[in-house]
Amino acid sequence: MEVDSSHFQSLVNNIPGISYRCLYDADWTMLFISTHVDHVTGYSATELLNNKETSYASLILEEDNVKAGQTVAAAIARNEPWQVEYRVRHKSGQIRWASERGQAVLDEQGKVLYLDGFILDISEEKNAKQAMERLAVLVRNSSEAMFLLQDAVFLDCNDASLSLFGYTKEELLTKHPEVLSPTHQPDGVASSEMGRQHIELAASGVPQHFEWVHQRRDGSLFDAEVSLNRILENDVVIVFGIVRDISERKQREREVHELNSRLEQRVAERTADLQAALEHLKRAQAELLQNEKLASLGALVAGVAHELNTPIGNAVTVSSSLLDAHRQVTDLMTTGLTRRALQDFLNDVGEGSQIIERNLSRAAELISSFKQLAVDQTSYQRRKFNLSEVVHEITLTMKPALRRTAIVLEASIPDELVLDSYPGPLGQILMNLINNALVHAYADNATGTVHLKAEPAEAGWLSLSVKDDGCGMEPATQKRIFDPFYTTRLGKGGSGLGLHIVHTLTTGILGGRIEVRSEPRIGSVFHLHLPTTAPTDGTLQTSDVPLT
């Protein structure tokens, strides 16, 4: 039978979908098919018409082709239209879905002349449906509570939601989510008001992510993390929500917060204890420094007594001799004074007077030096002074200690070195360094030399060193030599404060720095780098004594 193809094309080529007319034979031979068939099959209408090798029916997957044929045969037998869905293999190898509606055209005897039908490409709808079905399976079997809201009431939910909140689906559907919340949140905000705000924002397209306290059917509360997002279903706004139970995490956070609070309290208490201990230590250190000053003053007094003993003793002896000579002359004046006796008396008086003058002058010099040194040591007064004079006074003070040893004290101090500083602390530093050498650098009855040397450094500074040729120090000892209470003679009279005081006074009130270089069995050198003019704020405060 001949078909007017041009008539059909003029009607259907611009209609979405595929219109066709085919024979009811084994190959469903196409008599006419619209041009839209290329979208579903990848073949043009010309390639599929009257082509037994590549027919439209050959592109239908075999199992779907069998089922479609059975459906069409049953519909023809009932003289009814049919509708069938099947899969088509595209020319590219891709599988696409088609939905076909059709009806047989019969002659007067009821014999099938041909089949007319309409085919739609439903691949996108089918894939979307399959994706939704897969998503539904995932949502249904998810361990996290998921739900759908429409117009702020429950539309659907998964099994995890029912398990989490303790409700049946019938009890939740068509209810507002506020039934799952206490009246107020922990911050005092009304749950219903805040909950509606979150839902309205999500429905408007603003994703919501927040923490929330929920209430189960039995009244128990739990912490949750909630996410709300908008989805569109047939232009209907639906809010998709996920509720995740975070009670354990929040409990751990509360425990950590409580632990941190306790730790902060303990740290505060411990800090207060340490502060009190530090203040106590500072006071103790200040007292020890004061005691050390008094000890130095005691050594000074002992030196004064020892040094003054000789000249004053000589003066007393000579004056006693002069008194005896005076009594003798007085007696001779009553019995008869001879020229020779008078001359001897005058000679004795002259010689004795010279001896007394020399010794008393020596005593006066010593007293003047010791007086100045005592004032400096006890008052920490600032003044201009000649460094060589201070070293000379220190040398006189240390003589009694040196005489008990075989150690020689030498000094190389230029006379022109003048400082505007604190002679008392500087003197105490030198005395401590010399005494440290006598006590620690030399064994009993050992011989050696302690050398004091000073020389100008860069502008406004001078270099002062105290060097010994004693036993030296190990590196470990050098690292701790200025630490308070550190001594290598523990229990043998060492306080561990001498060099700490040296460091404190040098870096504090004098505004300088000190370093030590030492090698075992060779000796040690304490090198001081001092400004010739001490800092203007260099007043020593006990609270400023560093705990190095």
Side-chain angles (χ1 to χ4, degrees):
M1 178 178 291
E2 191 160 334
V3 178
D4 185 0
S5 298
S6 61
H7 175 70
F8 281 103
Q9 286 188 353
S10 65
L11 294 174
V12 300
N13 274 343
N14 293 320
I15 300 175
I18 306 167
S19 299
Y20 73 88
R21 174 170 284 183
C22 70
L23 297 178
Y24 186 45
D25 57 10
D27 297 319
W28 296 42
T29 303
M30 288 291 178
L31 302 176
F32 167 80
I33 192 166
S34 63
T35 56
H36 294 297
V37 71
D38 61 346
H39 180 68
V40 177
T41 65
Y43 294 91
S44 66
T46 304
E47 292 176 295
L48 297 176
L49 289 174
N50 297 309
N51 188 340
K52 293 185 178 297
E53 293 182 1
T54 306
S55 64
Y56 180 81
S58 68
L59 301 178
I60 302 174
L61 296 189
E62 184 177 353
E63 57 180 297
D64 291 0
N65 200 357
V66 172
K67 292 179 181 180
Q70 293 172 350
T71 302
V72 172
I76 292 175
R78 296 191 300 271
N79 194 20
E80 295 177 352
W82 70 81
Q83 181 174 353
V84 65
E85 293 181 358
Y86 50 77
R87 290 168 291 174
V88 177
R89 188 179 303 279
H90 193 272
K91 188 176 183 179
S92 65
Q94 180 186 8
I95 302 299
R96 301 191 67 83
W97 278 92
S99 175
E100 180 180 328
R101 295 173 181 268
Q103 188 167 6
V105 179
L106 307 178
D107 61 11
E108 294 177 355
Q109 289 76 30
K111 182 181 177 180
V112 177
L113 296 177
Y114 44 80
L115 306 178
D116 286 339
F118 187 78
I119 301 171
L120 281 176
D121 184 354
I122 61 170
S123 300
E124 294 184 3
E125 293 83 349
K126 202 71 175 179
N127 291 335
K129 182 179 179 181
Q130 290 176 344
M132 289 298 293
E133 290 174 351
R134 290 193 296 268
L135 179 60
V137 171
L138 291 175
V139 170
R140 187 68 59 192
N141 297 317
S142 173
S143 60
E144 294 185 345
M146 299 182 182
F147 56 86
L148 298 176
L149 299 174
Q150 183 178 357
D151 296 330
V153 296
F154 283 110
L155 179 64
D156 198 2
C157 64
N158 65 352
D159 294 340
S161 298
L162 305 177
S163 175
L164 180 62
F165 291 103
Y167 288 90
T168 64
K169 181 175 289 189
E170 292 74 16
E171 290 173 326
L172 280 184
L173 296 185
T174 72
K175 290 186 174 58
H176 191 275
E178 67 184 37
V179 300
L180 305 180
S181 303
T183 305
H184 293 86
Q185 291 296 301
D187 57 3
V189 175
S191 298
S192 58
E193 179 182 352
M194 183 58 66
R196 288 183 184 275
Q197 290 181 12
H198 283 302
I199 294 172
E200 289 173 0
L201 287 172
S204 67
V206 181
Q208 300 293 294
H209 186 81
F210 55 93
E211 291 184 358
W212 197 258
V213 174
H214 281 290
Q215 180 172 290
R216 298 184 179 89
R217 183 178 183 181
D218 61 9
S220 60
L221 303 178
F222 67 94
D223 294 291
E225 192 174 65
V226 182
S227 295
L228 300 177
N229 290 275
R230 182 182 70 170
I231 59 176
L232 292 176
E233 186 175 301
N234 298 325
D235 294 329
V236 176
V237 175
I238 296 176
V239 174
F240 174 65
I242 301 176
V243 176
R244 185 176 297 110
D245 188 348
I246 59 171
S247 300
E248 292 185 5
R249 191 190 79 190
K250 296 297 288 185
Q251 178 61 27
R252 289 195 296 269
E253 289 178 358
R254 285 189 286 269
E255 290 174 354
V256 169
H257 178 72
E258 183 179 353
L259 178 61
N260 287 339
S261 297
R262 290 201 301 268
L263 287 176
E264 289 176 0
Q265 182 178 358
R266 290 176 60 185
V267 168
E269 293 174 353
R270 185 59 177 163
T271 301
D273 293 341
L274 291 175
Q275 188 65 34
L278 179 62
E279 293 298 329
H280 178 73
L281 185 59
K282 286 183 176 180
R283 289 193 297 270
Q285 186 178 13
E287 293 175 0
L288 289 172
L289 289 173
Q290 184 65 25
N291 292 338
E292 192 72 15
K293 287 171 57 179
L294 294 178
S296 298
L297 185 59
L300 180 64
V301 172
V304 170
H306 188 277
E307 291 299 315
L308 290 179
N309 184 60
T310 299
I312 294 178
N314 291 339
V316 170
T317 301
V318 172
S319 64
S320 298
S321 298
L322 290 178
L323 286 175
D324 290 339
H326 179 268
R327 283 193 295 271
Q328 292 176 4
V329 170
T330 301
D331 293 340
L332 289 174
M333 288 181 66
T334 58
T335 59
L337 179 64
T338 64
R339 178 181 294 274
R340 179 60 182 269
L342 180 59
Q343 186 63 46
D344 289 342
F345 174 73
L346 293 176
N347 291 337
D348 290 342
V349 170
E351 183 179 355
S353 298
Q354 291 178 3
I355 293 174
I356 291 174
E357 182 183 10
R358 286 197 304 270
N359 281 275
L360 290 181
S361 296
R362 175 61 177 162
E365 179 186 0
L366 289 173
I367 290 173
S368 175
S369 296
F370 290 147
K371 180 180 178 182
Q372 182 60 58
L373 186 60
V375 170
D376 290 340
Q377 292 265 329
T378 56
S379 66
Y380 283 177
Q381 291 181 352
R382 178 175 183 149
R383 63 181 177 87
K384 286 187 176 182
F385 60 92
N386 189 289
L387 181 60
S388 60
E389 294 178 358
V390 171
V391 172
H392 177 66
E393 295 167 358
I394 296 300
T395 303
L396 292 177
T397 304
M398 296 300 297
K399 274 187 177 180
L402 290 168
R403 284 173 182 161
R404 297 193 294 269
T405 69
I407 309 303
V408 177
L409 177 62
E410 296 180 350
S412 300
I413 311 295
D415 293 335
E416 65 273 11
L417 284 180
V418 177
L419 283 72
D420 181 3
S421 188
Y422 299 87
L426 179 58
Q428 187 172 358
I429 288 171
L430 295 176
M431 290 176 64
N432 285 2
L433 290 176
I434 295 169
N435 187 65
N436 182 74
L438 297 180
V439 173
H440 298 281
Y442 301 99
D444 294 340
N445 302 320
T447 61
T449 303
V450 177
H451 190 79
L452 274 68
K453 181 180 180 181
E455 57 186 358
E458 63 269 25
W461 292 81
L462 67 87
S463 175
L464 178 62
S465 63
V466 179
K467 180 180 179 181
D468 66 69
D469 53 1
C471 61
M473 292 179 283
E474 298 291 339
T477 301
Q478 294 182 52
K479 292 180 179 179
R480 301 188 58 192
I481 196 69
F482 296 116
D483 290 353
F485 309 109
Y486 176 76
T487 178
T488 58
R489 294 178 60 85
L490 185 63
K492 299 179 181 179
S495 67
L497 283 174
L499 292 181
H500 176 60
I501 292 173
V502 168
H503 184 276
T504 299
L505 295 177
T506 302
T507 59
I509 191 170
L510 297 185
R513 59 180 183 271
I514 183 172
E515 61 181 14
V516 59
R517 296 192 300 273
S518 181
E519 294 185 30
R521 296 177 298 279
I522 294 180
S524 303
V525 180
F526 288 86
H527 181 77
L528 288 82
H529 200 64
L530 301 174
T532 55
T533 301
T536 56
D537 57 348
T539 55
L540 184 67
Q541 303 291 334
T542 56
S543 60
D544 296 331
V545 176
L547 295 175
T548 57

